[in-house]
Amino acid sequence: MSRLKRLIVEIHRRSLWQVLGIYVVAAWVAFQVVQTLTEGLGLPDWFPGFALALLILLLPVVLATAFVQEGVRGLRPEAFPPFVAGPGAGAPAAEAAESEPAEPKVVEARGVHHHIFTWRNAVLGGLLAFALLGLAVSGYMAMRLLGIGPVGTLVAKGVLNPRDRIVLADFENRTSDSLLAMAVTDAFRTDLAQSPVVSIADEEYVARVLVRMQTEPGAPFDYDLAREVAVREGSRAVIAGEVSSAGTAYVLSARLVAAESGRVLWADRQSADEPAAIIPAIDRLSKRLRERIGESLKTIRANEPLETVTTSSLEALQKYSHALRVLDEGDVETGITLLEEAVALDTTFAMAYRKLGIALDRRGRENARMMEAFTKAFEHRDRLTDRERYTTIGSYYSFVADDRERTIAAYRALLDLHPDDRTGLNNLAVAYAAQRNYAQAVELTRRTIELDPFFVLGYTNTAAYQVALGRWEAAESTLAAFARALPDHPWMELYQAPIAYARGDHEAVEAHVLSAREARKESLLIRAATSSLLSWLAALHGRLAEAERHEFDARTADEQRGIPGAALLLEIRRSWLDSFVRNRPGEAVRRLEAALERYPLDEFEPLDRPYLRLAPLYAYSGRPDRAKEFLSAWESEIDPLIQRGIDSRHGARGAIALAEGRFDEAIAGFRAWADRTSPLVGLPALAEAYDRAGQSDSALAVYERFVTTPWMLRLDDDAVALPRAYERLGDLYEQRGDTAKAIYYYAKFAELWQDADPELQPRVEAARWAITVLAPDT
């Protein structure tokens, strides 16, 4: 019998196939346990590899043990003669004797080997090998967590603290693609932002520091400048990197440097064989850094790959990165164009959709495109980091679906993962403020200031909520701190104007607005904002011709900014003055009809059509039939989900009901409107409905609530409604016989309109005459 055949017979006789099968199954189960432990306990990446190597090394030991032990147990002299040594080795002794005349030397089956290759020894050896591997892993993890030796993390060594702010320099570009390093920097930042341990200074923070350093605008944020920023702001480390190429291959390298000493704390590099491999290479490089700083291996592995939470298209990523830069420079138009190109390249690029929605909201009055962008981001939210995903969910439920409870839940979830996320803190505060929970909102916005003393919204929102709580001195102190932190901020004067208005110093309001306008003459955005403020201030004082001039200038600036429908919105504003202030509803209707002929609504996207501005205006002007047409068009053209997020629908329905004498329905509509918006919006209309329904006590109470509710940004509402509220309060108190309060409100009205246009002066004279009649000795 041939040796090969004999070996096969022996393997079969000694059941090695069964042993092999059992061992493979057992090894597979063991390896699955190892991988589960690796993921669940955050063990090092090399642990599964070593375990697999041990399992492979143990295989021949197990087979040898099975070979020996099965042979010994199955040995019967009559069934299986002993092996012989000599020329016929490997054949039974009887056969050897026939073939070889020499005296055979019998080797006993029960030799030394059967004492070594036992199942007990095999099991103990395997357990010992894995015990040693476990001991090695435990030692490694202990050294890592205690900061011992080269594997000790920087946090464990005390070099860095968890959440220390680290400054990320722009990657140096050593390729022919001018946008590549920019994209790598942003992708690297995105991956690091997933970490609960690493805190990267965001672009806005760095930009404000560079302004205070009087750095030349547009200067590259290279390693030297980043280190200067870090030292100036007390950051302990800087990340710098570079991208180089060799043919079609790329090398990405990064290093972590101590800001003060310049000592390199960590360095690594990753290669990419082709452009498509660059994003995975960034992912590997970033995760190596996170591990070295001290993040748990478990949390690092829990993150999705970078290409999954950003984009797999390098070109789309480059467009996105370029858009971020131009948006930071104030070029909203170019930024929007680049973001639209990015989402065209990757229609699942959720991060770009979200940024597009923010940019469109920043440009203003493009509801259709803004909501579409936020909706697209929401639909692809599974392709975002945890931080971006919860922010996107919050934005969607805030801007689109108007679900305040889900908005709050989203931002709470974000802050559970990243307690110091400034955007999450601010947006959660806005959501609480929408519920009139100003005390909790203040606590959150003050926290944003603690985290970033140069965060503008932190100051302005804190001041606004403090005003809502009636804490005027606290609000002034907050804005004073803002002025100290950012004395050269271009919007500083505009933020001071509301406080001056709340103090009743209207001359100071105008001075602040004009000063802001002068400081930024070239900005169309500032021009539009300041002209609108001047228009509202003039209308408040009854100077309607002046108000229309300022409003025309604001809309001209908006048209130059590319805002759709600016001219139509101007005519709507003028018509409000005609109907509600001049008390000329017929003229308001004629102006509107002419405007709609010049600017047909079908030229605009449905969400950009001002249906909910037109419907109440026509209703107040005595044309509820036309108002119903616009409301019906809005209800049929706008997605019902989006309709939920537009509170002014209640106001439009209330205005139609009021025009048709359905007072209970009007009151219900206006109450719903007032409950869902700012503390002032809807109150004048609700008071008017109560008044016309003959419920004078309720009308008086709501008018009082309107004129006495503290609110920082009330000039827009006051411009049209406050004079009428003062005037009507004088009438109502006079009817009740409350002479003192009647005189008080008549005097407030007369003072407010003392310089009103001549066409309005008869109403001023009527108020003064009422004061004379009520208090003849005054």
Side-chain angles (χ1 to χ4, degrees):
M1 184 181 295
S2 70
R3 293 185 178 185
L4 178 60
K5 184 176 181 181
R6 180 66 178 170
L7 178 62
I8 294 172
V9 169
E10 285 298 301
I11 290 174
H12 180 71
R13 188 184 69 78
R14 299 174 188 238
S15 303
L16 294 190
W17 296 121
Q18 293 91 326
V19 172
L20 178 62
I22 293 171
Y23 182 80
V24 168
V25 172
W28 181 85
V29 172
F31 189 68
Q32 297 306 308
V33 172
V34 166
Q35 288 189 311
T36 301
L37 291 174
T38 302
E39 295 294 328
L41 301 179
L43 302 181
D45 291 332
W46 50 262
F47 178 51
F50 270 83
L52 180 61
L54 278 178
L55 290 170
I56 293 173
L57 290 174
L58 286 171
L59 176 58
V61 175
V62 170
L63 292 177
T65 300
F67 189 89
V68 171
Q69 294 301 314
E70 289 299 318
V72 170
R73 286 197 302 173
L75 182 61
R76 295 193 307 274
E78 67 278 11
F80 187 61
F83 286 93
V84 298
E95 294 179 12
E98 293 178 2
S99 61
E100 295 291 339
E103 182 75 12
K105 182 179 180 181
V106 178
V107 179
E108 292 292 330
R110 285 184 171 273
V112 175
H113 55 277
H114 85 276
H115 295 293
I116 297 175
F117 290 100
T118 67
W119 287 118
R120 180 175 179 275
N121 288 347
V123 172
L124 289 177
L127 292 175
L128 178 61
F130 272 94
L132 291 174
L133 177 59
L135 183 63
V137 171
S138 300
Y140 174 90
M141 296 300 291
M143 293 173 65
R144 183 175 187 273
L145 295 175
L146 296 175
I148 300 172
V151 300
T153 69
L154 297 174
V155 169
K157 291 175 179 289
V159 176
L160 294 175
N161 295 319
R163 307 302 301 164
D164 269 350
R165 181 180 280 134
I166 298 174
V167 180
L168 173 62
D170 288 342
F171 272 59
E172 183 180 349
N173 187 37
R174 295 188 177 181
T175 73
S176 58
D177 187 343
S178 61
L179 298 178
L180 181 57
M182 188 186 302
V184 170
T185 304
D186 287 322
F188 201 70
R189 183 191 305 279
T190 297
D191 193 75
L192 291 177
Q194 298 186 80
S195 171
V197 175
V198 180
S199 178
I200 298 297
D202 62 49
E203 299 95 317
E204 292 181 13
Y205 174 87
V206 170
R208 289 192 294 272
V209 174
L210 293 177
V211 169
R212 288 185 287 112
M213 290 171 59
Q214 298 182 344
T215 305
E216 182 179 351
F221 193 59
D222 56 17
Y223 165 70
D224 292 332
L225 186 55
R227 186 178 170 193
E228 185 178 351
V229 167
V231 172
R232 176 189 176 99
E233 299 301 313
S235 297
R236 301 176 72 174
V238 173
I239 299 171
E242 65 179 46
V243 186
S244 57
S245 61
T248 60
Y250 296 86
V251 175
L252 284 68
S253 62
R255 64 188 187 278
L256 181 70
V257 181
E260 287 285 352
S261 66
R263 180 168 64 94
V264 176
L265 305 174
W266 166 89
D268 196 6
R269 64 176 56 204
Q270 294 290 325
S271 60
D273 295 334
E274 57 180 347
I278 288 178
I279 294 176
I282 300 169
D283 197 21
R284 296 192 300 272
L285 192 62
S286 169
K287 286 176 171 52
R288 292 277 186 90
L289 173 58
R290 291 163 61 181
E291 179 180 351
R292 180 64 177 133
I293 288 176
E295 184 177 348
S296 161
L297 299 175
K298 181 179 179 180
T299 63
I300 293 174
R301 295 193 189 105
N303 294 151
E304 294 288 341
L306 184 60
E307 62 182 325
T308 301
V309 296
T310 54
T311 175
S312 58
S313 168
L314 180 62
E315 186 179 358
L317 182 62
Q318 289 175 297
K319 297 280 188 185
Y320 172 80
S321 299
H322 192 191
L324 296 186
R325 300 306 188 279
V326 299
L327 286 170
D328 287 342
E329 295 167 2
D331 188 351
V332 179
E333 302 302 325
T334 303
I336 289 173
T337 299
L338 288 167
L339 289 169
E340 288 176 332
E341 291 175 358
V343 297
L345 290 166
D346 180 358
T347 57
T348 66
F349 196 173
M351 198 156 54
Y353 279 123
R354 191 179 81 81
K355 195 67 177 180
L356 177 60
I358 293 170
L360 290 167
D361 181 52
R362 178 176 167 186
R363 188 162 75 172
R365 297 193 183 94
E366 288 185 274
N367 289 329
R369 295 174 66 195
M370 178 193 73
M371 289 189 175
E372 180 185 5
F374 280 128
T375 301
K376 286 287 188 181
F378 180 78
E379 290 172 353
H380 299 293
R381 61 191 180 278
D382 59 325
R383 294 186 56 81
L384 291 168
T385 65
D386 287 340
R387 189 189 298 262
E388 287 279 346
R389 180 165 61 255
Y390 287 121
T391 302
T392 295
I393 293 171
S395 298
Y396 174 78
Y397 284 119
S398 178
F399 286 100
V400 181
D402 190 35
D403 189 326
R404 292 177 182 174
E405 292 303 324
R406 289 187 176 182
T407 300
I408 289 172
Y411 289 123
R412 279 178 172 170
L414 169 61
L415 294 173
D416 285 343
L417 294 173
H418 303 280
D420 294 340
D421 187 279
R422 193 190 61 196
T423 299
L425 289 166
N426 181 74
N427 291 358
L428 181 58
V430 172
Y432 279 132
Q435 294 183 331
R436 315 285 170 87
N437 187 351
Y438 302 117
Q440 195 157 2
V442 165
E443 293 304 314
L444 292 166
T445 52
R446 288 173 67 179
R447 173 71 178 140
T448 66
I449 298 173
E450 293 173 5
L451 290 170
D452 183 356
F454 309 106
F455 181 46
V456 174
L457 284 178
Y459 292 104
T460 56
N461 285 348
T462 298
Y465 304 146
Q466 288 169 331
V467 167
L469 292 168
R471 303 174 186 170
W472 294 99
E473 291 184 0
E476 291 184 347
S477 176
T478 297
L479 288 182
F482 175 29
R484 290 193 298 272
L486 294 161
D488 299 322
H489 194 279
W491 288 74
M492 178 60 67
E493 297 283 359
L494 292 184
Y495 292 129
Q496 296 290 345
I499 291 292
Y501 178 74
R503 291 197 307 264
D505 190 348
H506 294 187
E507 291 183 0
V509 174
E510 186 172 5
H512 284 304
V513 171
L514 291 174
S515 178
R517 186 186 190 112
E518 181 67 20
R520 296 287 299 277
K521 292 179 180 179
E522 74 288 351
S523 172
L524 290 173
L525 179 61
I526 293 287
R527 178 182 163 191
T530 54
S531 293
S532 291
L533 287 169
L534 292 172
S535 174
W536 299 339
L537 191 61
L540 175 68
H541 289 279
R543 303 194 299 269
L544 303 186
E546 178 186 339
E548 288 187 357
R549 289 196 300 272
H550 289 305
E551 189 70 22
F552 179 79
D553 188 61
R555 299 310 174 201
T556 300
D558 279 342
E559 285 183 321
Q560 293 175 4
R561 292 170 59 215
I563 302 300
L568 179 57
L569 293 173
L570 169 63
E571 296 305 315
I572 291 174
R573 180 75 179 185
R574 287 174 171 176
S575 299
W576 269 112
L577 296 178
D578 286 335
S579 184
F580 210 72
V581 181
R582 291 189 175 99
N583 197 24
R584 298 177 184 174
E587 187 171 328
V589 170
R590 286 191 294 273
R591 185 192 295 272
L592 285 174
E593 292 294 335
L596 289 171
E597 287 184 9
R598 290 196 301 273
Y599 313 109
L601 293 181
D602 57 12
E603 293 183 356
F604 308 107
E605 291 292 330
L607 268 174
D608 292 326
R609 297 170 189 171
Y611 289 131
L612 295 184
R613 292 174 181 258
L614 292 165
L617 183 49
Y618 270 102
Y620 287 130
S621 302
R623 290 292 306 275
D625 55 328
R626 285 285 278 158
K628 287 180 179 179
E629 292 176 12
F630 291 118
L631 181 58
S632 177
W634 180 81
E635 290 173 339
S636 64
E637 295 176 14
I638 305 303
D639 187 316
L641 180 63
I642 295 176
Q643 290 183 28
R644 290 178 51 196
I646 303 178
D647 299 319
S648 54
R649 69 191 189 279
H650 300 298
R653 291 166 183 160
I656 292 170
L658 183 62
E660 295 181 338
R662 294 180 281 113
F663 299 124
D664 289 344
E665 291 181 36
I667 290 168
F670 291 139
R671 287 182 64 179
W673 188 22
D675 289 343
R676 294 289 299 172
T677 53
S678 80
L680 302 181
V681 171
L683 292 183
L686 178 59
E688 178 84 8
Y690 278 127
D691 206 359
R692 292 178 59 179
Q695 301 179 37
S696 58
D697 289 346
S698 296
L700 192 148
V702 175
Y703 274 129
E704 280 276 12
R705 179 179 159 194
F706 173 69
V707 301
T708 59
T709 295
W711 191 242
M712 191 168 176
L713 303 175
R714 60 175 299 153
L715 179 54
D716 186 12
D717 297 292
D718 283 353
V720 172
L722 187 62
R724 186 184 182 94
Y726 282 155
E727 187 179 30
R728 191 63 190 133
L729 279 168
D731 291 339
L732 291 170
Y733 277 118
E734 183 179 3
Q735 293 171 20
R736 293 182 61 176
D738 191 333
T739 301
K741 286 192 173 180
I743 291 173
Y744 173 79
Y745 281 113
Y746 279 137
K748 294 283 286 185
F749 171 68
E751 180 184 8
L752 195 61
W753 269 16
Q754 61 182 340
D755 297 323
D757 292 345
E759 62 181 308
L760 302 179
Q761 285 300 326
R763 289 168 61 184
V764 179
E765 292 301 321
R768 289 173 178 161
W769 173 253
I771 294 172
T772 302
V773 171
L774 292 171
D777 296 332
T778 60

